[in-house]
């Protein structure tokens, strides 16, 4: 059955946040973002209860007001779902979010730690944040899930991402028959790199995920790393697809998430997009090299600027004719590593501009804000799109931008982005550490023959349209059904 | 046959360097170091030709004087071997050694790059150093090996370490029937981390090693990483022990290298050691915490100092009673990352001492020099030995020091040192990133009950004495014989 199933979605950030209070009326702000977009069709076709953290003060008021009953909400397409917000202890949430999840797990799962110097786990800070933050917040989520399963024992539970590694084991212990699946949206790293964490923590993470019937990743590469890490860290058996652990079985799969192509078909002529596009067209030089990212160290913005500088050095004929437009959404500025990286981005842009800038031409046009309509306008106008992430679970920009581009723009894609598996053949592949190769790729993109440009862009579009988000949801549910069926057929070896 | 085989040992650094010239008489300086010590019994029992780079000016004079014929040399135990020095082009050697081998491969193979910032492969520097340095120096070694094999086609070729990844393929192409084995003395990292290198280079490294009949590592952990990396990077088949690739087969094994126990039995009463020991005894406090390392970022000296500081903070009763003696051999000071790290070490020791130092007590006694007799004297005197490497192929200090220790000293050992596989059960295990855990382990070592201390030390000694270097050599040769026999039995699938 492809319709009408009961599904409990569990993610740290929900699809809506509430604002207002203090005498102001309550307003709901519907978020965008990969997860919410990807799950839109899930909400449309199935009976969804969404459990998420209360993020704002008004979220907490909603959580207190509606309690375990939750409230009905709608996606921006009008599909209805039930929302249950969990109000965690504020200190616990701070440890969970600002110490364990970001930066510790995020940095670890993108190979970003400068291991000679950091982390140091000094004064037991990590263990404390784990015990008093990550564990109780996960327990709070698990408790809500268990209550929901009492209400509807047949419901499927669908966990998301690196905030919730412990919840599946807690739910499994309370409800052994539950149907649990987990999608990890970021890379899984090799077993050695998990050694950045003390043994108890890295073991608990793998054990927690292995309480699911299905664990899924964007690409075969992260899937394979998970199988290997589970083997090494739990001491469990080597497995190709299904890991037997702690009396259960976990099917491990890879399905890249997709984008809502219809949304982008509409967005291209949205008035807000058109207004930004007019501004870009009025000021753009002959060649526009675009990047759209959060200011996350994993995105490799600084090396991208150095590569653009090197390209200008090697090709003076492009001075005044090529600009790199960097639309950067400031990210996680509560966390020192992120604040520092934003400083490094600004310093590097300044340095490159001081090197080449002349009246009428700013080589790097750095714009730090969060304006999706402007991003879509820039998607339409680029001649080359640089996605040079150090490591990236997938990278949605690489899928979104080609859908609306109108200049046969060329995608330059990191071999360490999950999207490379699907899109690599139509992209210019680059190694994210190789600034020289990135400079060459930018130049090659700008001077590429029209036929080749068009052919590559059409290939990208066809690929993105073919593997859409409905296909992703169907594949996830099929994995779960298969895993649950296998469980009842063959009792696991104890 | 366990004796009298013809073996061509190939390593960048040979067992002897020559000095003198400019009117001074030529003198031979015999090096110590893990490789030379480990191969001493090989030289004693077999007919060894050793091919190494000419390192000094006088080495170059020797290479020119003796040419391909080489010269007879002796180990310090009086065993005779033939030495053939290869004088590489100076610029090529500089690129090979100071750009590719150190820091690029060394940092990569210990997970030491700060990937957010470095490397950048800017201006094609790495590719250039690879093409004009690493490739021709490896070709120079391969040429010498091929000449030796013409002279003695039955000789076994035994390559060593990360300087020589390309030579085996070049030799295999010239002499398809050659018997080739390679020992890698440093960690092998997971496939993702090899992506720090451009695809052509990481592929060439794995392809080069897979031209050997046998590739060996210190531990199962590095062995397993090599199998996985070979699978992912070459696109070859998944393998448990033997990789089929390019028409050949490579057996992959793990045998930890050992130390010359007899040498340490003698050293403990060597006059130079005794003289240093008297000085240590005369000035030592009640508790001596020792570390002996090169000033290599992989050794994690700075975190060790922070851990000692934290221990002092938590246990004021030990102020004035415990000192950390850090005997550090300055390492690779031609390379900026190493020079910077030495600065960081000095700054951190100064900071900790400024925090606690009082008349009569220097908390961290930092001694930067290279004096093996002093190290052995300190080995005899420690109460706790800290080996907290970030990652380490094996770590010989952890094997050497317990052999001569006279105070039932406790080994505190990183879980990421290759030696942990063998010695972990008698050590206090620490996570190298966890400063708090290291502080706890230092304290626990110092207050441990005498019985437990003795039991652990005896366990360490028994393990080191049992798996000695002759066992290592025998295991290596048995692997090779097995692999070559399998080759002639079953022609590889093309």
């Amino acid at each position: 059955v492809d319709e009408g199933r009961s599904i409990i979605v569990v993610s740290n950030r929900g699809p809506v946040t509430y604002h207002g209070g203090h005498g102001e009326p309550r307003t709901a702000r519907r978020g965008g973002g990969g997860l919410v977009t990807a799950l839109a069709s899930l909400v449309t076709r199935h009976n969804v209860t969404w459990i998420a953290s209360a993020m704002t003060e008004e979220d907490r008021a909603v959580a207190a007001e509606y309690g375990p009953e939750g409230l009905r909400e709608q996606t921006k397409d009008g599909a209805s779902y039930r929302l249950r917000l969990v109000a965690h202890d504020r200190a616990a949430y701070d440890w969970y979010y600002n110490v364990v999840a970001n930066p510790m797990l995020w940095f670890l799962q993108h190979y970003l730690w400068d291991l000679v110097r950091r982390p140091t786990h000094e004064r037991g800070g990590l263990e404390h944040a784990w015990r008093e933050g990550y564990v109780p917040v996960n327990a709070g989520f698990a408790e809500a899930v268990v209550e929901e399963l009492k209400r509807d024992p047949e419901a499927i539970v669908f966990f998301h991402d690196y905030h919730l590694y412990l919840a599946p084991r807690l739910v499994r212990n309370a409800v052994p028959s539950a149907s649990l699946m987990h999608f990890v949206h970021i890379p899984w790293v090799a077993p050695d790199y998990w050694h950045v964490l003390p043994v108890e923590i890295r073991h608990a993470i793998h054990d927690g995920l292995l309480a699911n019937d299905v664990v899924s990743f964007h690409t075969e590469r992260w899937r394979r790393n998970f199988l290997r890490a589970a083997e090494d860290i739990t001491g469990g058996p080597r497995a190709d697809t299904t890991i037997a652990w702690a009396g259960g079985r976990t099917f491990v799969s890879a399905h890249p998430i997709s984008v809502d192509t219809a949304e982008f078909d509409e967005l291209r002529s949205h008035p807000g997009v058109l207004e930004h596009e007019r501004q870009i067209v009025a000021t753009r030089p002959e060649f526009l090299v675009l990047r759209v990212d959060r200011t996350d160290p994993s995105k490799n913005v600084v090396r991208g600027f150095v590569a653009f500088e090197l390209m200008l050095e090697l090709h003076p004929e492009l001075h005044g004719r090529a600009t790199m437009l960097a639309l950067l959404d400031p990210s996680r500025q509560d966390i020192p590593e992120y604040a520092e990286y934003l400083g490094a981005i600004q310093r590097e842009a300044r340095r490159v501009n001081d090197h080449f800038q002349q009246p009428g031409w700013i080589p790097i046009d750095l714009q730090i804000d969060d304006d999706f309509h402007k991003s879509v306008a820039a998607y339409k106008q680029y001649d080359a799109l640089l996605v040079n992430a150090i490591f990236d679970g997938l990278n949605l920009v690489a899928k979104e931008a080609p859908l609306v581009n109108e200049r046969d723009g060329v995608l330059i894609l990191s071999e360490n982005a999950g999207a490379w598996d699907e899109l690599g053949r139509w992209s210019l592949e680059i190694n994210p550490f190789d600034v020289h190769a990135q400079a060459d790729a930018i130049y090659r993109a700008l001077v590429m023959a029209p036929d080749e440009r068009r052919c590559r862009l059409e290939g990208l579009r066809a690929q993105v349209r073919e593997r859409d988000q409905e296909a992703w949801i169907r594949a996830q549910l099929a994995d779960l059904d298969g895993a649950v069926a296998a469980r009842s057929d063959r009792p696991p070896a104890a």
Side-chain angles (χ1 to χ4, degrees), chain A:
Chain A
V1 276
D2 260 8
E3 304 263 343
R5 303 178 68 165
S6 291
I7 302 178
I8 302 166
V9 172
V10 193
S11 65
N12 179 55
R13 184 179 296 274
V16 62
T17 52
Y18 297 96
H19 301 267
H22 307 292
E24 298 291 314
R26 176 176 296 162
T27 58
R29 197 176 295 164
R30 290 181 183 86
L35 174 62
V36 171
T37 304
L39 294 182
S41 72
L42 190 78
V43 172
T44 307
R45 294 177 181 276
H46 301 280
N47 303 321
V48 168
T49 292
W50 199 313
I51 303 177
S53 294
M55 315 285 284
T56 65
E57 284 311 302
E58 196 63 10
D59 284 357
R60 288 177 178 273
V62 168
E65 190 175 328
Y66 292 91
E69 284 306 308
L71 67 161
R72 296 306 301 183
E73 259 294 351
Q74 292 195 332
T75 65
K76 64 181 175 200
D77 298 328
S80 166
Y81 62 97
R82 190 168 138 259
L83 176 68
R84 177 171 178 167
L85 293 176
V86 181
H88 308 286
D89 175 82
R90 288 165 209 272
Y93 189 85
D94 178 53
W95 281 316
Y96 151 87
Y97 194 78
N98 290 320
V99 179
V100 178
N102 309 307
M104 179 49 66
L105 292 175
W106 180 273
F107 265 51
L108 189 160
Q109 292 196 245
H110 292 82
Y111 296 101
L112 297 181
W113 286 112
D114 174 13
L115 295 186
V116 174
R117 293 165 194 86
R118 285 190 289 200
T120 61
H121 306 334
E122 215 164 328
R123 286 149 215 275
L126 177 69
E127 279 87 346
H128 188 267
W130 179 261
R131 202 174 50 242
E132 304 294 331
Y134 198 82
V135 171
V137 169
N138 268 264
F141 273 111
E143 192 184 344
V145 170
V146 169
E147 285 177 14
E148 293 297 327
L149 286 174
K150 282 187 184 144
R151 187 192 287 249
D152 181 357
E154 298 303 310
I156 294 163
V157 184
F158 193 4
F159 295 103
H160 286 271
D161 230 355
Y162 58 104
H163 310 85
L164 298 173
Y165 290 148
L166 301 182
R169 173 63 63 201
L170 299 170
V171 174
R172 175 69 67 206
N173 288 345
V175 188
S177 65
S179 297
L180 310 180
M181 65 177 172
H182 204 129
F183 194 88
V184 179
H185 296 255
I186 64 178
W188 206 262
V189 292
D192 277 340
Y193 213 79
W194 281 102
H195 281 241
V196 169
L197 296 174
V199 59
E200 298 79 10
I201 294 180
R202 63 184 189 251
H203 192 279
I205 287 171
H206 287 80
D207 174 71
L209 274 173
L210 290 175
N212 289 287
D213 296 290
V214 174
V215 175
S216 299
F217 301 88
H218 284 307
T219 80
E220 175 58 22
R221 188 170 172 189
W222 315 139
R223 191 187 87 86
R224 196 185 285 210
N225 280 347
F226 180 73
L227 290 165
R228 290 166 173 173
E231 179 190 351
D232 290 7
I233 291 170
T234 65
R238 177 164 155 176
D240 279 322
T241 53
T242 302
I243 300 174
W245 174 249
R249 277 208 193 84
T250 304
F251 181 74
V252 185
S253 63
H255 302 296
I257 214 168
S258 195
V259 296
D260 182 350
T261 55
E263 181 190 3
F264 283 89
D265 290 341
E266 284 176 25
L267 274 167
R268 71 167 76 226
S269 48
H270 184 285
V273 171
L274 294 176
E275 174 58 31
H276 280 293
E277 195 183 2
R278 273 190 293 275
Q279 287 175 23
I280 293 173
V281 169
T283 58
R284 61 163 292 154
E286 185 180 348
F287 297 112
L288 194 66
V289 180
L290 176 68
R291 72 174 307 143
V292 178
D293 284 302
R294 290 183 302 107
T295 56
D296 190 293
S298 69
K299 301 298 185 182
N300 210 16
V301 177
V302 170
R303 282 198 191 83
F305 289 170
V306 178
F308 188 68
E309 177 189 35
L310 183 56
M311 192 281 290
L312 291 173
E313 230 177 285
L314 296 171
H315 302 285
E317 73 277 14
L318 291 177
H319 292 195
R321 295 168 58 203
T323 283
M324 174 174 272
L325 174 61
L327 300 180
L328 303 181
D329 179 6
S331 179
R332 300 176 188 164
Q333 292 296 303
D334 292 344
I335 295 171
E337 285 81 358
Y338 284 81
E340 284 167 7
Y341 194 68
L342 178 54
I345 287 170
Q346 293 168 321
R347 192 175 301 115
E348 200 65 13
R350 182 74 266 158
R351 193 186 61 73
V352 175
N353 284 341
D354 284 347
H355 188 179
F356 287 114
Q357 190 164 315
Q358 26 175 283
W361 177 52
I362 294 177
I364 294 179
D365 184 357
L366 172 60
Q367 302 190 18
I368 294 177
D369 61 11
D370 175 16
D371 185 331
F372 189 55
H373 287 160
K374 182 157 73 175
S375 297
V376 175
Y379 285 173
K380 294 173 75 176
Q381 284 291 320
Y382 70 83
D383 300 290
L385 176 69
L386 181 62
V387 175
N388 67 333
I390 292 174
F391 283 94
D392 205 331
L394 184 74
N395 197 285
L396 282 174
V397 170
K399 290 194 165 184
E400 292 169 353
L403 286 174
V404 298
N405 182 263
E406 297 185 347
R407 293 177 60 90
D408 293 341
V410 178
L411 173 62
I412 300 166
L413 185 59
S414 168
E415 55 163 302
N416 289 341
W420 183 84
D421 259 16
E422 285 177 274
L423 308 182
R425 82 190 79 168
W426 296 289
S427 313
L428 296 185
E429 174 184 332
I430 47 109
N431 178 292
F433 310 104
D434 193 335
V435 161
H436 199 89
Q438 288 164 55
D440 284 349
I442 293 169
Y443 181 73
R444 213 184 128 200
L446 297 184
V447 301
M448 188 180 284
D451 282 1
E452 187 181 347
R453 300 168 63 85
R454 171 145 310 167
C455 172
R456 286 173 180 267
L457 184 63
E458 283 171 0
L460 290 169
R461 281 182 186 152
Q463 174 69 20
V464 174
R465 289 191 182 278
E466 188 187 314
R467 296 180 68 166
D468 67 1
Q469 58 180 357
E470 296 214 15
W472 181 78
I473 292 286
R474 275 197 306 275
Q476 290 294 130
L477 290 175
D479 284 350
L480 183 70
D481 290 343
V484 171
R487 179 167 54 158
S488 42
D489 288 354
R490 301 175 299 168

Short mmCIF file of all heavy atoms in Angstrom, two decimals, chain A residues 45-60:
data_model
loop_
_atom_site.label_atom_id
_atom_site.label_comp_id
_atom_site.label_asym_id
_atom_site.label_seq_id
_atom_site.Cartn_x
_atom_site.Cartn_y
_atom_site.Cartn_z
N ARG A 45 0.71 11.97 1.24
CA ARG A 45 0.15 10.65 0.94
C ARG A 45 -0.16 9.81 2.17
O ARG A 45 -0.82 8.79 2.07
CB ARG A 45 1.13 9.87 0.06
CG ARG A 45 1.29 10.49 -1.30
CD ARG A 45 2.32 9.73 -2.13
NE ARG A 45 2.44 10.37 -3.43
CZ ARG A 45 1.63 10.13 -4.45
NH1 ARG A 45 0.64 9.27 -4.31
NH2 ARG A 45 1.80 10.76 -5.60
N HIS A 46 0.40 10.19 3.32
CA HIS A 46 0.26 9.31 4.49
C HIS A 46 -0.23 10.10 5.70
O HIS A 46 -0.30 11.32 5.67
CB HIS A 46 1.61 8.64 4.79
CG HIS A 46 2.12 7.83 3.64
ND1 HIS A 46 1.66 6.56 3.36
CD2 HIS A 46 3.03 8.12 2.67
CE1 HIS A 46 2.27 6.11 2.27
NE2 HIS A 46 3.10 7.04 1.84
N ASN A 47 -0.58 9.33 6.77
CA ASN A 47 -1.01 9.97 8.02
C ASN A 47 0.22 10.23 8.88
O ASN A 47 0.73 9.32 9.52
CB ASN A 47 -1.96 9.05 8.78
CG ASN A 47 -3.15 8.67 7.94
OD1 ASN A 47 -3.68 9.50 7.19
ND2 ASN A 47 -3.56 7.42 8.03
N VAL A 48 0.68 11.44 8.87
CA VAL A 48 1.96 11.74 9.51
C VAL A 48 1.75 12.43 10.86
O VAL A 48 0.97 13.37 10.97
CB VAL A 48 2.82 12.62 8.59
CG1 VAL A 48 4.02 13.18 9.36
CG2 VAL A 48 3.30 11.81 7.39
N THR A 49 2.45 11.90 11.86
CA THR A 49 2.65 12.63 13.10
C THR A 49 4.11 13.03 13.14
O THR A 49 4.99 12.19 12.98
CB THR A 49 2.34 11.73 14.32
OG1 THR A 49 0.94 11.46 14.33
CG2 THR A 49 2.74 12.42 15.62
N TRP A 50 4.35 14.31 13.32
CA TRP A 50 5.74 14.80 13.27
C TRP A 50 6.15 15.22 14.68
O TRP A 50 5.50 16.07 15.29
CB TRP A 50 5.84 15.97 12.30
CG TRP A 50 7.25 16.26 11.84
CD1 TRP A 50 8.37 16.35 12.59
CD2 TRP A 50 7.67 16.48 10.48
NE1 TRP A 50 9.47 16.61 11.82
CE2 TRP A 50 9.07 16.70 10.50
CE3 TRP A 50 7.00 16.52 9.25
CZ2 TRP A 50 9.80 16.96 9.33
CZ3 TRP A 50 7.73 16.79 8.10
CH2 TRP A 50 9.12 17.00 8.15
N ILE A 51 7.22 14.60 15.20
CA ILE A 51 7.73 14.95 16.52
C ILE A 51 9.02 15.74 16.33
O ILE A 51 9.93 15.28 15.64
CB ILE A 51 8.02 13.69 17.36
CG1 ILE A 51 6.74 12.84 17.50
CG2 ILE A 51 8.57 14.07 18.74
CD1 ILE A 51 6.96 11.53 18.26
N ALA A 52 9.07 16.92 16.94
CA ALA A 52 10.25 17.77 16.78
C ALA A 52 10.49 18.54 18.07
O ALA A 52 9.62 18.60 18.94
CB ALA A 52 10.06 18.73 15.61
N SER A 53 11.69 19.11 18.19
CA SER A 53 12.00 19.93 19.36
C SER A 53 11.27 21.27 19.28
O SER A 53 11.16 21.87 18.20
CB SER A 53 13.50 20.22 19.42
OG SER A 53 14.23 19.05 19.65
N ALA A 54 10.81 21.74 20.41
CA ALA A 54 10.37 23.12 20.51
C ALA A 54 11.62 24.00 20.42
O ALA A 54 12.54 23.85 21.23
CB ALA A 54 9.65 23.35 21.84
N MET A 55 11.66 24.88 19.41
CA MET A 55 12.86 25.68 19.19
C MET A 55 12.72 27.09 19.76
O MET A 55 13.65 27.65 20.32
CB MET A 55 13.16 25.80 17.69
CG MET A 55 13.04 24.52 16.89
SD MET A 55 14.42 23.37 17.14
CE MET A 55 15.68 24.16 16.17
N THR A 56 11.56 27.71 19.53
CA THR A 56 11.35 29.10 19.94
C THR A 56 10.58 29.14 21.27
O THR A 56 10.04 28.12 21.73
CB THR A 56 10.52 29.86 18.89
OG1 THR A 56 9.21 29.26 18.87
CG2 THR A 56 11.14 29.75 17.50
N GLU A 57 10.52 30.33 21.84
CA GLU A 57 9.72 30.50 23.05
C GLU A 57 8.26 30.16 22.79
O GLU A 57 7.58 29.54 23.61
CB GLU A 57 9.83 31.94 23.57
CG GLU A 57 11.14 32.22 24.27
CD GLU A 57 11.47 31.15 25.31
OE1 GLU A 57 10.68 30.94 26.23
OE2 GLU A 57 12.56 30.53 25.18
N GLU A 58 7.78 30.56 21.62
CA GLU A 58 6.38 30.31 21.30
C GLU A 58 6.14 28.82 21.02
O GLU A 58 5.07 28.30 21.32
CB GLU A 58 5.95 31.19 20.12
CG GLU A 58 4.47 31.31 19.93
CD GLU A 58 3.72 31.99 21.10
OE1 GLU A 58 4.38 32.54 22.01
OE2 GLU A 58 2.48 31.95 21.11
N ASP A 59 7.17 28.14 20.48
CA ASP A 59 7.08 26.68 20.35
C ASP A 59 6.84 26.04 21.71
O ASP A 59 6.05 25.10 21.85
CB ASP A 59 8.40 26.09 19.79
CG ASP A 59 8.58 26.30 18.30
OD1 ASP A 59 7.67 26.85 17.64
OD2 ASP A 59 9.65 25.92 17.79
N ARG A 60 7.57 26.54 22.71
CA ARG A 60 7.40 26.00 24.06
C ARG A 60 5.97 26.25 24.57
O ARG A 60 5.38 25.40 25.23
CB ARG A 60 8.41 26.61 25.03
CG ARG A 60 9.82 26.12 24.79
CD ARG A 60 10.84 26.79 25.71
NE ARG A 60 12.15 26.24 25.44
CZ ARG A 60 12.63 25.14 26.01
NH1 ARG A 60 11.93 24.50 26.93
NH2 ARG A 60 13.82 24.67 25.68
#
